[in-house]
Amino acid sequence: MKETTKAVFDELFVCYPSLLNEKDNIMDAFNALLETYGARGKVLVCGNGGSAADAEHLCGELLKSFKKRREIPSSIAALLEQRAAARQAKDWALSDKLRDEIAAQGWLVKDSKEGQTCTKK
């Protein structure tokens, strides 16, 4: 575990000493998330009622906190470059076709005024 991560957990347990009883479970959960993310896996959460709100909150915390971005494979990057050129040439049919090819490989393309972004589904 990185020293910065260890420092965050140390501070957590100092600020909330009641969590010390669950320290092993918290660390196991953290390690499971870390291993899953490192293996390019998915973390699925769900709930009903109040636990659905908790699940949504957990997802929000995870999404805002991850600093490491998944690297885009070179094959997808090449398609993105072709798509950007097609959009610049206003070849919307080719742009849509390339977006569909990228989506079929498990990546989501979004367009904005600043350009396109691509994230793993």
Side-chain angles (χ1 to χ4, degrees), residues 11-111:
E11 183 179 344
L12 175 74
F13 295 123
V14 167
C15 291
Y16 302 97
S18 62
L19 292 178
L20 284 171
N21 294 335
E22 295 298 327
K23 182 177 181 178
D24 290 342
N25 291 328
I26 291 168
M27 298 312 297
D28 288 346
F30 170 76
N31 288 322
L33 287 170
L34 194 61
E35 288 174 25
T36 300
Y37 186 74
R40 301 177 64 89
K42 292 182 181 180
V43 174
L44 304 175
V45 298
C46 61
N48 186 12
S51 59
D54 290 340
E56 185 176 1
H57 181 85
L58 173 64
C59 290
E61 290 296 325
L62 291 173
L63 289 171
K64 77 171 186 167
S65 298
F66 278 123
K67 294 180 181 175
K68 180 179 177 184
R69 299 287 176 225
R70 292 185 180 194
E71 188 174 317
I72 297 174
S74 58
S75 59
I76 299 297
L79 292 172
L80 288 168
E81 287 179 26
Q82 292 173 31
R83 185 171 184 273
R87 291 182 62 75
Q88 189 169 14
K90 298 190 185 314
D91 186 343
W92 309 121
L94 178 58
S95 172
D96 290 347
K97 179 180 177 254
L98 291 166
R99 183 195 61 228
D100 293 343
E101 278 185 52
I102 294 166
Q105 295 182 48
W107 293 83
L108 178 66
V109 178
K110 291 185 180 180
D111 297 308

